[in-house]
Amino acid sequence: MSTTTPRRPRSGRTPSPGFRPRTAADHLPRPERTERSVPRGLAALLGLLVLVVGVPVGLVLLVGNPLPTAAPSLDWLTAPVTAEALINIVAVLVWLVWAHFVVCLLAEWRAVRAGRLPGMVPAGAGSQLVARRLIAGVLLLAGSATMTGQAPGQSGAPAASVVSTAQAGAAAEQGATGGVGVGEAGAREDSAPTASGAVAEARSEVASSTVTKFYEVKPPSGRHHDTLWDIADRTLGDPYRYKELYQLNQGRTQPDGRKLQEADLIQPGWQLVMPADATGPDITSVRTQAPAAAPTPAPEASQAVLDELGGRTADVTAQAAGEAGSGAVGRAADLAVPAGGGVSADTAPAGATEGGEAEQVPLGDLALGGGMVLAGLALALSTRRGAYGDPGAPEQALRLAADGGRAELLDRGLRVLAAGRRDQGLDLPDAAAVYVGDEQLVVHLAGGADHPAPPSPWQQTEEGGVWVLRSGDLEGHPVTGPAPWPALVNVARSHGFDLLVDLEYAPGLVSIGGDPQVAREVALSTVVDLVTHAWSDGARATLVGFAGSGTEALADLAPGRIHQVRSIEEALEVGRRDVEAHRSRLRGLGVDGVLAGRSAGAGPDLRPHVIVLSGSPGPQEAQQLTELLAAGRTGLAVLCVGQTLSARWRFVVDASGQLDLGVLGLSGTARRLRHGDLDRIAGWVREAAESGAEAAARTAALGPLDAVATLPAQRRPVAEAAPMWDRQSALAHVGLLGPVLVQAPGQVTPGREELLTELVTLVALHPEGVHDAVLRISLWPRGVEDDVVEATLASATQWLGTGSDGSPVLDRDDAGRWRLGPEVHVDWLELTALAGRRDTPPRELAEVLDQARGPAFSGTPGTRYGWLAFHQAARDARVVITAVARHTASALAGSGDRPAAERALRDGLTLVPQAQALWRDLLRLLGGSDPDHAAGVTREMRAALGDAALEPETVSLVQHLSPDLRELG
């Protein structure tokens, strides 16, 4: 298994002007270069033929039969030793050596077929090593195997020695504590008073950690062996300390089952324990957990710790959501803020939300899927509850533990890349691997460094084969167009980054071997990852052989995108139809390749399809799959659980969750989803769907006055109580009818604009005022110092400026709450105030709707605005907007102004694209007497709704207006 550690940046170099990527070879593990794979493979094939065929043929031709043709007799003892006899004796010895080599070769070949490492052939050290290298070279030529670093004789899955490095300590803590997702988050956010305290307490109850240094034996460049003397010289600076290394490792069982018995006999792949002062690029620091008590905790106790940590996560979620919500604001004024500036457990009402006391949802083993998978699940729940449903406790817990910022960076960054390449007139290259971190996105390209420079804001490293994007460089770049690699799936976490591979790029079948149960969990996680993220652009999955209610319920997670079939033959038939449909579409476009077709705008017709097998296919089925996948990138990929010789990519995962990506040369901690958690996810999805359907039905029956009446009392038309200046005369503007923005007269540094915009938005959504405690827990949910809060508020006050009376526009009221003055215009509050009046003219409502710039309350960075996901204002806005748009359009159409009615409906759909009630009104308005026009609006609606299920009323109306339409989905 690969144990490559990211190299640190070189010091003492003079930086060149402009941005220099901080990743690639200096920070990330990279696949080994494959430029010489073909020559090496051909040389290995030639060598194999020479040894297996050439040697016996040469012996037969040159020597003939070396064995005597008559029975032995005593005359042999007195017969002279002739040159012919000596040649025959040497020939017999060569035949024996050849036969022994063939045995080694067969042992290696059988191991390859079984997907494991071979056992030790007696007296076969040298011969077996040559056989292994020759077979690996031949398979490398076919792209289906890679050399492992272990010595002959190692059995089972490769031992996973790397748990964490100095740059990725969180992974070690996660692995040692059973993979608790909140432990990962806590490791990254040790400054958090609540989260870090909970994690530290749990760790102190379960284990005390120690750090051990290891060195993996690898022959130095240009040599075939290594010695303890040289290792001590390289890592300790003193070769005479080799005895210390011997004493530390004597008798210790190595990955291949052997032990160090003699100081001068070590094998490649052995893991040597090193002294604490060992240094060097090949030293790996591993954090291990020593139980506090001698007995190992029972599984029930371990699960209790997981649930407790998950419960504490839910507490933090409920606290952040509740304090940011209006229901808690009234009580926040009475909170006593601790001197440290945070909201303590004693002063903050844990679990308080707008809807009452929050349910605690411990994630438990779901956290093994990692933050990216959890972000996908949260997005799926949000989609299923629709535009009007309230986020439930499971969604809140998922969002808190998720890496939403990474998911957003990946989606936006890749779409910007695809659009830039299209503008350059260049096709997208294939991606061998993608790394995403909190601040950077790194793409390792297939085919080496022979690629033109990427479009801005992407940067190319010096090697040329790696493209890098910093999250801060995305600002100002519009996100349009399809995702370039929708079959990217998050398979592992490596060196603090999430590692993704493109299943579409695989040149054939992809297999996951090793521990069967863990391999199945990796496959299920891959399926969920494939169908829940924004960048997957409608990718589909077909499951073969996965039984149980949990996998059946996965269909509810992404309706229409996950299917189950009973046999590989059925899956093959579906796959063949997809491949032929894609080829036909590409021929129609006149382009070569799926990537070029997506760049040409045919993304919806070229969606990836991944077939996932619960076991290895049989020989005939494997042959059919290989033939189907042999044509390169066709939009189809096949993943199976269990090793198979026909697989071109062979992944191996061990019982501890360490994943080796085989020929890709990468490794990391696997992303997993346990079968028992599928039922929990299915239950959450059903609850979200039912809640969304009920909320949509209620919303469709509301008029503007009724919609405003559903708002909390604090937010009912506040403009009447405190008149707000109109847009033209206002000193500042807060735009929520579209991507969130703040326009103010003052100056602000770009680095602080996001935080200040979030602060002003929070205050704007609470006209009744916001207490310091709510600001703290909303903007800094993991804690903040007093001076940071004061400096931020001072910057926001200066940014917004002062009113006509000289008082700050952002200021405290008599109760100590922060409020915005009437000089600040908030479009959402203006719409609410007008909708709450009976005598508001429809055209005045239409003018406010005309301010729509995109989906309401959108455009927020994934790393911020966590409180907004649970704030009732976002849901309230969609309810009021839908009611206002329907009422306005009806009134305008009734007066004979159908174009103005259509504009009002389309403005409403700009703000709430998922509002099927608005789509139904638009269908009636435009397609009531024209089936073709109705069909066009229906196609427009399906494109806007994406994978969302159609409401029964929508289906009935479309079938009535356009009976021949077959595009409902």
Side-chain angles (χ1 to χ4, degrees):
M1 179 175 292
S2 173
T3 55
T4 303
T5 302
R7 298 194 295 270
R8 297 185 180 275
R10 298 175 183 174
S11 59
R13 297 179 59 182
T14 303
S16 60
F19 167 66
R20 293 180 60 82
R22 295 172 50 250
T23 53
D26 292 332
H27 282 265
L28 289 175
R30 314 182 67 188
E32 294 182 3
R33 296 189 178 273
T34 57
E35 290 86 345
R36 293 182 293 176
S37 296
V38 172
R40 288 176 57 191
L42 292 175
L45 180 61
L46 180 61
L48 199 62
L49 291 175
V50 169
L51 291 176
V52 176
V53 179
V55 168
V57 169
L59 287 173
V60 170
L61 294 178
L62 297 176
V63 180
N65 182 12
L67 299 178
T69 56
S73 64
L74 294 176
D75 295 338
W76 287 10
L77 299 176
T78 58
V81 178
T82 63
E84 182 180 0
L86 289 175
I87 292 174
N88 287 338
I89 292 173
V90 172
V92 170
L93 293 176
V94 173
W95 275 107
L96 291 176
V97 172
W98 177 84
H100 183 266
F101 175 76
V102 171
V103 171
C104 295
L105 199 65
L106 292 175
E108 293 291 329
W109 180 251
R110 291 185 60 188
V112 169
R113 289 181 59 89
R116 57 174 174 79
L117 293 176
M120 189 71 174
V121 175
S127 298
Q128 192 168 359
L129 182 59
V130 172
R132 166 172 291 190
R133 290 179 175 175
L134 289 174
I135 289 181
V138 173
L139 293 179
L140 190 64
L141 177 65
S144 61
T146 186
M147 283 292 294
T148 64
Q150 286 92 357
Q154 181 174 345
S155 60
S161 62
V162 175
V163 180
S164 74
T165 68
Q167 295 162 304
E173 293 165 4
Q174 178 191 4
T177 56
V180 186
V182 294
E184 280 193 357
R188 291 194 305 270
E189 297 146 356
D190 288 337
S191 61
T194 303
S196 65
V199 175
E201 180 183 345
R203 289 175 186 159
S204 65
E205 294 171 357
V206 180
S208 59
S209 63
T210 59
V211 176
T212 305
K213 293 186 176 182
F214 286 88
Y215 176 89
E216 180 179 355
V217 177
K218 300 175 184 176
S221 177
R223 293 170 49 184
H224 300 290
H225 62 85
D226 204 352
T227 65
L228 293 181
W229 174 280
D230 291 337
I231 294 173
D233 187 25
R234 291 195 302 269
T235 61
L236 300 173
D238 183 2
Y240 289 98
R241 293 181 64 182
Y242 80 93
K243 295 182 180 179
E244 187 177 344
L245 298 183
Y246 176 71
Q247 293 171 356
L248 283 173
N249 294 276
Q250 184 181 13
R252 187 170 173 270
T253 302
Q254 295 296 329
D256 59 2
R258 291 183 283 183
K259 298 180 180 180
L260 177 61
Q261 302 292 350
E262 300 179 18
D264 59 349
L265 184 58
I266 57 176
Q267 299 293 337
W270 281 13
Q271 305 290 334
L272 301 181
V273 178
M274 304 296 291
D277 59 339
T279 59
D282 296 324
I283 296 295
T284 300
S285 298
V286 178
R287 188 181 300 275
T288 58
Q289 301 288 337
T296 301
E300 295 80 3
S302 299
Q303 187 60 42
V305 173
L306 292 177
D307 292 341
E308 181 181 357
L309 284 172
R312 292 172 183 173
T313 301
D315 285 341
V316 176
T317 308
Q319 183 176 330
E323 290 300 303
S326 65
V329 173
R331 297 184 295 275
D334 301 324
L335 294 180
V337 182
V343 178
S344 68
D346 298 330
T347 58
T353 65
E354 295 185 68
E357 192 162 327
E359 175 191 356
Q360 295 185 3
V361 182
L363 298 180
D365 291 339
L366 265 177
L368 293 173
M372 295 276 282
V373 174
L374 297 183
L377 289 174
L379 179 62
L381 290 182
S382 174
T383 302
R384 295 295 283 151
R385 66 176 165 85
Y388 312 109
D390 289 322
E395 184 181 342
Q396 296 180 24
L398 288 171
R399 285 188 181 276
L400 183 70
D403 280 331
R406 293 188 176 193
E408 182 190 31
L409 173 59
L410 181 65
D411 181 45
R412 295 185 62 203
L414 293 184
R415 292 183 192 275
V416 167
L417 174 62
R421 293 286 286 189
R422 184 173 62 249
D423 294 341
Q424 290 177 329
L426 299 173
D427 292 336
L428 275 163
D430 289 313
V434 175
Y435 291 90
V436 58
D438 296 331
E439 301 292 337
Q440 324 178 53
L441 178 59
V442 184
V443 175
H444 290 255
L445 303 175
D450 189 19
H451 296 284
S456 176
W458 285 79
Q459 298 288 330
Q460 190 172 33
T461 62
E462 295 176 356
E463 294 83 355
V466 180
W467 291 351
V468 182
L469 172 71
R470 294 193 310 179
S471 59
D473 294 337
L474 271 177
E475 186 176 355
H477 290 269
V479 179
T480 58
W485 304 300
L488 276 176
V489 290
N490 179 208
V491 295
R493 185 179 181 88
S494 178
H495 304 283
F497 287 76
D498 281 290
L499 170 60
L500 298 94
V501 296
D502 185 6
L503 294 179
E504 255 189 358
Y505 170 61
L509 183 64
V510 180
S511 65
I512 307 176
D515 185 280
Q517 181 61 36
V518 180
R520 186 183 180 92
E521 294 169 0
V522 174
L524 289 175
S525 175
T526 299
V527 172
V528 172
D529 201 59
L530 183 71
V531 300
T532 56
H533 284 295
W535 67 79
S536 60
D537 274 3
R540 296 180 295 126
T542 297
L543 307 182
V544 183
F546 288 87
S549 59
T551 50
E552 292 173 0
L554 277 179
D556 293 332
L557 190 63
R561 297 177 60 181
I562 299 181
H563 303 277
Q564 289 205 72
V565 297
R566 296 186 177 183
S567 66
I568 298 181
E569 288 75 13
E570 294 180 60
L572 277 167
E573 185 61 30
V574 175
R576 291 190 184 100
R577 289 201 302 267
D578 280 352
V579 170
E580 184 55 38
H582 289 175
R583 288 172 177 168
S584 175
R585 186 73 175 97
L586 293 174
R587 285 194 297 267
L589 291 172
V591 297
D592 183 19
V594 171
L595 295 181
R598 288 177 184 147
S599 296
D605 299 325
L606 299 172
R607 297 177 177 179
H609 181 196
V610 179
I611 299 174
V612 185
L613 313 179
S614 63
S616 301
Q620 184 175 358
E621 297 162 333
Q623 179 64 27
Q624 293 176 335
L625 289 170
T626 300
E627 293 173 355
L628 186 60
L629 299 170
R633 187 188 286 267
T634 61
L636 181 69
V638 181
L639 175 71
C640 75
V641 177
Q643 289 289 21
T644 173
L645 183 62
S646 58
R648 302 294 296 275
W649 285 2
R650 300 180 191 174
F651 302 164
V652 178
V653 63
D654 62 18
S656 69
Q658 293 299 307
L659 180 66
D660 187 341
L661 299 186
V663 71
L664 298 180
L666 308 171
S667 63
T669 303
R671 293 313 194 191
R672 301 155 60 183
L673 182 62
R674 293 187 171 169
H675 197 278
D677 289 320
L678 294 180
D679 289 325
R680 295 177 66 197
I681 296 173
W684 295 345
V685 170
R686 283 191 292 267
E687 291 175 4
E690 292 170 2
S691 171
E694 294 173 0
R698 289 194 302 268
T699 300
L702 296 177
L705 290 175
D706 298 326
V708 172
T710 65
L711 301 180
Q714 299 96 324
R715 288 201 293 274
R716 294 177 192 164
V718 296
E720 295 180 354
M724 182 173 58
W725 293 15
D726 59 38
R727 175 73 183 273
Q728 287 71 27
S729 57
L731 299 180
H733 170 68
V734 178
L736 301 176
L737 298 182
V740 175
L741 66 84
V742 174
Q743 295 172 337
Q747 299 295 322
V748 62
T749 58
R752 294 183 60 81
E753 187 171 1
E754 278 190 2
L755 175 60
L756 298 183
T757 299
E758 182 180 8
L759 187 154
V760 175
T761 301
L762 177 64
V763 178
L765 287 176
H766 296 88
E768 70 281 3
V770 180
H771 195 278
D772 271 348
V774 179
L775 283 176
R776 291 171 182 271
I777 202 168
S778 300
L779 303 183
W780 301 278
R782 298 177 177 88
V784 65
E785 296 291 340
D786 287 342
D787 57 344
V788 175
V789 177
E790 293 171 0
T792 303
L793 287 167
S795 298
T797 301
Q798 183 180 8
W799 184 32
L800 294 178
T802 58
S804 56
D805 58 355
S807 60
V809 171
L810 174 63
D811 201 2
R812 294 179 188 267
D813 61 13
D814 295 337
R817 296 182 174 91
W818 291 93
R819 294 175 182 264
L820 292 176
E823 300 89 349
V824 179
H825 177 266
V826 183
D827 52 10
W828 155 236
L829 295 182
E830 179 185 10
L831 178 63
T832 305
L834 293 176
R837 301 173 186 165
R838 291 185 178 275
D839 57 348
T840 303
R843 294 194 182 277
E844 192 171 348
L845 291 173
E847 289 176 2
V848 180
L849 289 174
D850 194 48
Q851 298 180 35
R853 297 170 287 105
F857 292 77
S858 64
T860 56
T863 55
R864 306 204 63 87
Y865 293 86
W867 54 272
L868 186 57
F870 316 116
H871 198 291
Q872 197 168 339
R875 195 272 288 172
D876 291 343
R878 291 188 284 267
V879 172
V880 173
I881 289 166
T882 302
V884 169
R886 298 190 71 195
H887 168 78
T888 302
S890 176
L892 293 173
S895 65
D897 194 348
R898 293 172 64 88
E902 179 183 356
R903 284 198 303 273
L905 289 174
R906 291 196 177 276
D907 286 339
L909 288 169
T910 299
L911 293 165
V912 192
Q914 307 90 356
Q916 294 190 36
L918 293 177
W919 283 110
R920 292 195 293 269
D921 287 352
L922 189 62
L923 276 167
R924 293 188 184 96
L925 181 68
L926 301 180
S929 58
D930 186 353
D932 292 336
H933 206 159
V937 175
T938 301
R939 284 188 285 270
E940 186 181 353
M941 175 183 65
R942 286 307 298 153
L945 294 178
D947 297 317
L950 294 181
E951 297 168 3
E953 298 85 352
T954 305
V955 175
S956 301
L957 178 63
V958 171
Q959 292 175 342
H960 171 70
L961 296 177
S962 185
D964 297 330
L965 190 65
R966 294 291 183 268
E967 299 184 15
L968 290 182

